Amino acid sequence: MTATCVNLEGTDLQADITLGNLASALTLQTEEAALITELRAGSEEAFAWLISRYHQPIYSLLARTVRDPSDAADLTQEVFVKIFRGIGSFHGESSLRTWIYRIALHEGLNQRRWWRRHKQQEVTIETEIVDCESGEPARLKEMLVDPGESPYEMATHTETRERVEAALRQVPEPFRTTLILRDIEGFVYEEVAEMLGVNLGTIKSRLVRGRACLRQLLLSDEDRRNQAAHAAMTSGATLTHAEEVR
């Protein structure tokens, strides 16, 4: 009888990776549970660590989602006040990170509602540029099968961050928030759906439309810049010719 040798190296490696991931996840869960226990006990050290860990991400999220970025600092403080007051009612239905972001999104939504009620007359022309609500079927279909990078990823390779942020601010809600959470903050679809309280299909649809809108805005901005550059070159050539004639 011929002995059959089976190479289990690949299988063992895959098992090691799986066990490693599981161990890492369990460690994170244990650390988070310990942190939550300390927060509930009123630990100033635990709360200080929480602020140092999440202050900048929450501030960036709010600065991108509210009408006036200058409101983001005050809203960020309010978010952490609500975290401190509400940690006792958090029972681990989601991750602590997801819970914190959900509070931040709720504060941002309240701020936008207040803006619409009290400062709608001060809205700038920026909000009148975008025509993404129509959602042309042909365009949506093309975007749904687009395997390329997101508009935000492509733009950051070639454009300054300021231009991308300016275009992102013109994307209408709820597409902008979905775009920020998925493409910038890096949350998976399921986490975004949980934060926003909608189903997975709605998140994917909003992401498609948000990406299409951002791409449209970036292309329009590029066209305007090219036209301005062409006009400047034409004007310069005309002045040079006039000087030569004189």
Side-chain angles (χ1 to χ4, degrees), residues 5 9 14 34 62-63 82 108 111 159 161 163 201 226 243:
C5 296
E9 181 178 355
Q14 184 62 43
L62 290 170
K82 294 200 170 181
Q111 176 68 7
E159 305 290 342
R161 187 176 186 85
R163 286 185 60 202
N226 290 339
E243 291 173 355

Side-chain angles (χ1 to χ4, degrees), residues 166-209:
L168 182 64
R169 187 163 294 282
Q170 296 177 49
V171 176
E173 290 293 353
F175 311 120
R176 182 169 75 247
T177 296
T178 306
L179 197 62
I180 291 169
L181 292 174
R182 179 67 185 93
D183 285 347
I184 300 178
E185 297 296 335
F187 286 102
V188 299
Y189 291 107
E190 291 77 8
E191 289 176 314
V192 178
E194 184 178 358
M195 289 178 193
L196 299 180
V198 297
N199 61 50
L200 198 59
T202 299
I203 290 301
K204 292 181 178 180
S205 175
R206 288 179 181 178
L207 187 61
V208 165
R209 299 182 68 179

Side-chain angles (χ1 to χ4, degrees), residues 43-221:
S43 169
E44 294 183 2
E45 292 79 6
F47 196 66
W49 181 91
L50 191 76
I51 293 175
S52 67
R53 169 66 180 82
Y54 287 105
H55 184 277
Q56 186 57 47
I58 294 302
Y59 173 82
S60 297
L61 173 69
L62 290 170
R64 291 185 175 111
T65 55
V66 298
R67 292 282 188 179
D68 188 350
S70 64
D71 293 332
D74 290 340
L75 284 174
T76 301
Q77 292 183 9
E78 185 63 25
V79 167
F80 283 101
V81 169
K82 294 200 170 181
I83 291 171
F84 181 77
R85 292 175 177 172
I87 189 64
S89 62
F90 175 67
H91 301 296
E93 297 86 354
S94 62
S95 70
L96 181 63
R97 179 171 177 245
T98 299
W99 181 69
I100 290 172
Y101 270 75
R102 190 185 300 133
I103 292 174
L105 290 170
H106 182 71
E107 288 303 301
L109 176 60
N110 285 342
Q111 176 68 7
R112 293 196 298 274
R113 286 172 175 169
W114 179 89
W115 184 285
R116 285 196 295 270
R117 287 196 302 267
H118 300 283
K119 299 189 69 175
Q120 189 171 11
Q121 68 276 14
E122 299 180 17
V123 174
T124 67
I125 195 171
E126 289 182 353
T127 57
E128 300 174 4
I129 299 175
V130 185
D131 184 20
C132 300
E133 293 289 347
S134 58
E136 298 176 16
R139 182 172 300 161
L140 281 178
K141 290 179 181 178
E142 292 172 3
M143 289 297 298
L144 282 169
V145 297
D146 183 4
E149 294 178 309
S150 72
Y152 188 86
E153 292 169 334
M154 289 188 297
T156 51
H157 295 160
T158 57
E159 305 290 342
T160 63
R161 187 176 186 85
E162 290 76 13
R163 286 185 60 202
V164 178
E165 293 287 356
L168 182 64
R169 187 163 294 282
Q170 296 177 49
V171 176
E173 290 293 353
F175 311 120
R176 182 169 75 247
T177 296
T178 306
L179 197 62
I180 291 169
L181 292 174
R182 179 67 185 93
D183 285 347
I184 300 178
E185 297 296 335
F187 286 102
V188 299
Y189 291 107
E190 291 77 8
E191 289 176 314
V192 178
E194 184 178 358
M195 289 178 193
L196 299 180
V198 297
N199 61 50
L200 198 59
T202 299
I203 290 301
K204 292 181 178 180
S205 175
R206 288 179 181 178
L207 187 61
V208 165
R209 299 182 68 179
R211 286 173 174 173
C213 187
L214 181 57
R215 177 172 295 176
Q216 175 186 336
L217 287 165
L218 291 171
L219 290 175
S220 298
D221 182 58

